[in-house]
Amino acid sequence: MSHPALRALARFIPQIMRLEESRDAAIRERDLAQQQAHAEQQQALSAQQQAESAQRMLDEVLQRQHVDGNARVEQTLAMVRAEYTVLPRFGFHQPIDYEPDSLPPHFDPPVVVPGEALPLPAPAERFGYPADDAAYLHMGALDAAVVRAAIDRHLGPRQDLALLDFGCSSGRVLRHFDAERSAQGWRLHGVDIQARPIEWLRLHFPQDYLVTTGTVQPHLPFEDNSLDVIYGFSVFTHIKYLWDMWLLELRRVLKPGGLLVQTIHTENAWAFYHGQREEAWVRRAHSARMLDRPEMDADWFHHGDIAVSQAFWKAEIARRNWGRYLEVLELLPPQHDLSFQDVMICRKPLPLGW
């Protein structure tokens, strides 16, 4: 190529270079735009995936909340029912019927024992007392003998005695006064805050047994000065609240000179439970504070609500406090091998000039 031609071509080199630079810039811009578009596409896809993932997580949370919420509702209702079935703070009996339609409870057939005038409740209706028939009868007879001995010492032989089993359950002790009912005209009464055993008694004991469901509030459905004897086994051991008002209510319905026979927890019961402190049934019902101490270190100690309340008194304190409301005749240690509770025997004072 001649020099003139080279010179002419050289004149186009800057233009060619600028075109190449423009081309390269355009390619770079195109590639950058493609990269940005791809990044935006990926971002959009990622955002969509994140949104879908978040929705799934939200759905799972809502589902879990629904399931867990239902479980929490049921758990709460169970706790409420448990609290309001025992009702330590309110004046109702237990259990409360939560159903819109109330029907008679189902009971297993009563147990008929040869030689016994009255049927026994089935083991399920004995409320923690022995399932063995002979043991159930024996324990009830021992406790009835404690009451009978107190009557013999402080009242003497009586006809037409009005006697109340305070906390009668399904008649474990009350049944053992049936001979006096038949031979001496004793009028037998029973009251319990548990509706179920009272219904069992209504079905299976004679009509002249006056049994009724009571309340946890200090009120009895009896007239003033109408009862000769009121006894109770392991009732004041459960009364954490209003024990003094209960004593006044019991005094109200007792006749002047009438007897009150009630078991209580004193140092004797404390020592018994401490000795059994590793037993599951003891640990369920008692305070760790109490079980850790071999001896009572306070004048009195009450634990729990009415279903599991364990009320303990030092014997001298119980005698002093009960003596404010009734005349304390005796405070006896446990009266037989199946008991660890002391027996408080009191009398309603006679009016002046009686």
Side-chain angles (χ1 to χ4, degrees):
M1 181 177 292
S2 64
H3 290 292
L6 289 173
R7 286 196 295 272
L9 181 59
R11 288 197 298 271
F12 290 103
I13 289 175
Q15 297 179 13
I16 293 171
M17 293 178 64
R18 286 195 293 272
L19 287 174
E20 288 179 345
E21 290 173 354
S22 298
R23 181 200 63 190
D24 293 341
I27 291 173
R28 286 194 299 272
E29 290 178 0
R30 183 200 65 190
D31 291 343
L32 181 61
Q34 287 178 344
Q35 291 174 1
Q36 290 176 342
H38 180 72
E40 291 174 356
Q41 184 180 15
Q42 291 298 316
Q43 288 176 354
L45 181 60
S46 176
Q48 181 180 357
Q49 291 173 341
Q50 290 176 359
E52 292 173 351
S53 176
Q55 185 62 48
R56 285 194 301 272
M57 292 175 62
L58 178 60
D59 291 342
E60 291 175 3
V61 168
L62 292 174
Q63 178 64 22
R64 242 186 348 260
Q65 286 180 341
H66 176 72
V67 174
D68 293 346
N70 287 341
R72 283 196 296 272
V73 168
E74 288 303 318
Q75 183 181 27
T76 302
L77 287 175
M79 293 171 62
V80 168
R81 290 189 179 109
E83 169 70 10
Y84 283 79
T85 294
V86 175
L87 289 174
R89 303 176 182 87
F90 304 95
F92 300 100
H93 64 72
Q94 59 170 329
I96 287 219
D97 187 347
Y98 296 98
E99 302 300 327
D101 298 329
S102 297
L103 295 169
H106 169 75
F107 296 113
D108 292 336
V111 177
V112 177
V113 174
E116 287 294 318
L118 300 172
L120 278 64
E125 308 305 329
R126 297 179 189 178
F127 296 88
Y129 287 99
D132 178 80
D133 297 339
Y136 178 80
L137 287 168
H138 178 61
M139 189 175 188
L142 289 176
D143 286 340
V146 173
V147 178
R148 197 175 285 111
I151 293 172
D152 291 343
R153 286 196 304 274
H154 300 291
L155 293 181
R158 291 290 183 95
Q159 297 288 324
D160 194 31
L161 198 72
L163 182 144
L164 170 65
D165 187 328
F166 180 57
C168 64
S169 189
S170 46
R172 181 185 67 89
V173 179
L174 189 61
R175 64 182 299 110
H176 291 283
F177 296 104
D178 194 65
E180 286 88 348
R181 180 186 71 91
S182 300
Q184 301 174 39
W186 285 19
R187 289 170 287 124
L188 304 183
H189 307 68
V191 63
D192 202 287
I193 65 168
Q194 299 179 95
R196 187 177 179 90
I198 294 297
E199 182 65 13
W200 189 92
L201 288 171
R202 277 195 284 260
L203 290 173
H204 297 293
F205 271 33
Q207 284 290 102
D208 58 349
Y209 278 75
L210 179 58
V211 294
T212 182
T213 308
T215 81
V216 298
Q217 297 296 327
H219 173 72
L220 290 172
F222 302 107
E223 297 179 359
D224 296 357
N225 308 312
S226 60
L227 300 173
D228 294 287
V229 178
I230 302 173
Y231 71 83
F233 288 89
S234 199
V235 178
F236 274 91
T237 58
H238 287 261
I239 298 179
K240 178 178 181 178
Y241 306 109
L242 304 180
W243 61 267
D244 47 358
M245 291 187 68
W246 266 117
L247 286 178
L248 288 172
E249 178 64 5
L250 295 171
R251 170 179 165 148
R252 178 186 68 80
V253 299
L254 275 174
K255 294 177 182 179
L259 286 184
L260 179 69
V261 181
Q262 299 288 321
T263 63
I264 62 172
H265 284 157
T266 69
E267 295 94 330
N268 290 317
W270 188 288
F272 169 82
Y273 282 123
H274 184 75
Q276 305 292 320
R277 63 189 179 279
E278 299 304 327
E279 297 292 334
W281 66 274
V282 173
R283 302 198 74 83
R284 282 196 300 269
H286 292 273
S287 165
R289 183 185 187 281
M290 172 255 165
L291 295 177
D292 289 343
R293 289 164 170 76
E295 297 181 356
M296 287 188 68
D297 58 356
D299 287 348
W300 54 266
F301 178 74
H302 298 166
H303 167 71
D305 284 330
I306 195 168
V308 295
S309 175
Q310 301 294 345
F312 292 84
W313 303 81
K314 283 188 176 180
E316 62 178 281
I317 301 302
R319 179 186 284 273
R320 184 193 71 191
N321 286 353
W322 286 48
R324 286 180 173 272
Y325 311 103
L326 296 152
E327 179 187 354
V328 176
L329 300 176
E330 298 177 283
L331 179 53
L332 305 175
Q335 293 295 285
H336 54 77
D337 291 341
L338 299 181
S339 177
F340 47 83
Q341 298 178 3
D342 288 23
V343 182
M344 179 76 81
I345 303 175
C346 302
R347 176 165 55 200
K348 179 174 179 176
L350 296 170
L352 292 176
W354 183 273

